Amino acid sequence: MKQQDSAARKSAVSRAISRMQEGKPAIEPEVKPITAELLARLGDALLWNIVVEPYIPKQRGELVKAQVTIDAERILAQVARIVLIGCFAWRSKTASGLDLADEAAKPVVGDYVLHEAYAGTEIHLTSGHMLRIITETECKLRVKDPELIRAWL
C-alpha cells in the first residue's frame, strides 16, 4: 500500500514539474472562468453597474491549497475581469460634476480592473462561480497584466 502512495505522489510531482516547464500552472484551478452560456442565463447588468469575476491567480509550485484558502482568495481578490457592463456605465456624472464619459481608459468586457476592497455585492452561483456587482467609480485601475498584482492571505 505504501508503494502505491509513494508512486502516486512521485507521478503527481513529475506532472506538476512538467506542466511548469511548459509554462502552465502546476495545478489547474478548480473553478474555471465563467462561460458565455452561463452569463447568458444570468441576465444583463443594469444602469451603471458592472459585473466582474475575481481573477484566479495561476497556481505556482506544487502545494495544493485547501478549499477554504481558494474561497478566501476569490472573496478577497481586488483584481477582476469584467464580464457584463450596464448601459450607463462610464456615461454618468459624479456628484462633484465629473463626467465619466471623458475617461480615456474606459475598460470593456474582458478587461481586468483593480477595484476597492470589499466593493459591491457578491453573488455566488450554483455552478461554483462567484461574481461581484460594482459601480464604475469603484474601479481604480485598468490592469494590463493581472499576474503582476499579488494578494496574500
Side-chain angles (χ1 to χ4, degrees), residues 43-93:
D44 300 311
L46 301 177
L47 304 174
W48 51 86
N49 293 305
I50 301 162
V51 180
V52 296
E53 179 179 33
Y55 175 69
I56 302 168
K58 292 179 183 172
Q59 178 75 32
R60 300 196 190 289
E62 299 171 26
L63 294 177
V64 178
K65 294 178 183 176
Q67 188 60 44
V68 69
T69 303
I70 294 168
D71 292 343
E73 283 181 341
R74 289 171 53 211
I75 290 169
L76 297 174
Q78 292 181 15
V79 176
R81 182 175 62 94
I82 296 176
V83 295
L84 296 170
I85 296 179
C87 62
F88 291 132
W90 287 287
R91 293 185 184 176
S92 58
K93 291 187 179 183

Side-chain angles (χ1 to χ4, degrees), residues 55-58 60 143 145-150:
Y55 175 69
I56 302 168
K58 292 179 183 172
R60 300 196 190 289
V143 178
D145 184 3
E147 280 294 310
L148 288 176
I149 299 171
R150 182 68 63 195

Side-chain angles (χ1 to χ4, degrees), residues 12 23 27 29 31 35 39-40 61 72 78 89 98 109 115 117 120-121 128 133 139 145:
I27 300 168
V31 178
T35 62
L39 278 176
Q78 292 181 15
L98 293 174
V109 171
H115 59 77
T121 304
I133 300 174
C139 294
D145 184 3

Side-chain angles (χ1 to χ4, degrees), residues 20-42:
M20 289 189 313
Q21 289 172 340
E22 294 171 5
K24 298 177 184 174
I27 300 168
E28 284 291 325
E30 288 186 26
V31 178
K32 304 288 186 207
I34 194 164
T35 62
E37 295 83 25
L38 191 55
L39 278 176
R41 285 180 55 205
L42 180 64

Side-chain angles (χ1 to χ4, degrees), residues 99-110:
D99 190 355
L100 298 178
D102 294 339
E103 174 57 54
K106 287 185 278 252
V108 296
V109 171

